[in-house]
Amino acid sequence: MRKLRLAHARRLLERSDKSISDICYEVGFTNLSNFNRHFRNDAGETPRDYRQRVQN
């Protein structure tokens, strides 16, 4: 289930201008720090770094 939420977060980071905290809560995480840790473990980079890389 967490993998699905993180995949959805990646799509939102790629396709929207929503803040990372808004995306965190939208995909079902209740804690931004927890979201950042899981995202980094799954994607190998922070949500902010991921967004910057895919949007450039």
Side-chain angles (χ1 to χ4, degrees), residues 6-7 29 45:
L6 291 169
F29 286 87
E45 58 191 338

Side-chain angles (χ1 to χ4, degrees), residues 7 9-16 23 50-51 54-55:
R10 282 194 296 275
R11 285 191 301 274
L12 290 172
L13 287 165
E14 293 165 9
R15 302 174 186 166
S16 79
I23 290 172
Y50 179 82
R51 174 178 265 168
V54 299
Q55 288 184 345

Side-chain angles (χ1 to χ4, degrees), residues 18-56:
K18 292 180 181 182
S19 72
I20 291 170
S21 60
D22 285 346
I23 290 172
C24 161
Y25 301 124
E26 183 174 330
V27 300
F29 286 87
T30 58
N31 179 299
L32 184 59
S33 173
N34 193 32
F35 170 70
N36 283 325
R37 182 171 12 92
H38 285 295
F39 191 96
R40 188 172 48 248
N41 287 340
D42 187 66
E45 58 191 338
T46 65
R48 193 188 90 207
D49 290 342
Y50 179 82
R51 174 178 265 168
Q52 288 175 342
R53 182 175 59 77
V54 299
Q55 288 184 345
N56 288 331

